[in-house]
Amino acid sequence: MYLKVSESKVIFLILYIDDILLAANDLGLLQETKKFLSRNFEVKDMGEVSYEIGIEIFHNRSQGLLGLSQKVYIDKVLERLKMERCLTTPILI
């Protein structure tokens, strides 16, 4: 699939109970959204996130990549089921 977008600003707001994660392709839009939220709600900026609700979040700005991983959670489940030594095959989607 190929997608070309030009001059578009996008922001994702992910809400989980009382936590909000923001991801944007434009720093100005991100700051504007954070200001809007802080004017209307009591907020605490926790900075960049690397782990939330059992999901590792990683990014590579130079390549424009944002990734999610549940490896730690999967490892814990395998350990609990005494399957930590089983053979695994990564699946890329």
Side-chain angles (χ1 to χ4, degrees), residues 3 9-12 15 21-22 26 29 31 42 45-46 53 61-63 67 70 81 83 86 93:
L3 175 65
K9 296 178 183 179
V10 177
I11 189 162
F12 294 93
L15 177 64
L21 298 175
L22 296 173
D26 180 81
L29 178 59
Q31 296 299 333
E42 184 179 331
D45 189 343
M46 302 295 287
I53 61 169
R61 284 191 178 83
S62 65
Q63 294 181 352
Q70 286 190 292
L81 298 173
M83 295 179 61
C86 70
I93 298 174

Side-chain angles (χ1 to χ4, degrees), residues 37-50:
L37 290 170
S38 66
R39 281 194 308 266
N40 293 282
F41 305 98
E42 184 179 331
V43 297
K44 182 177 180 183
D45 189 343
M46 302 295 287
E48 290 189 18
V49 67
S50 60

Side-chain angles (χ1 to χ4, degrees), residues 51 54-58 67-72:
Y51 195 81
I55 300 171
E56 179 186 7
I57 302 166
F58 54 93
L68 306 173
S69 171
Q70 286 190 292
K71 182 183 181 326
V72 173

Side-chain angles (χ1 to χ4, degrees), residues 75 77-88:
D75 289 344
V77 170
L78 291 173
E79 184 178 330
R80 188 176 70 232
L81 298 173
K82 308 251 188 271
M83 295 179 61
E84 61 269 290
R85 299 185 75 185
C86 70
L87 298 175
T88 61

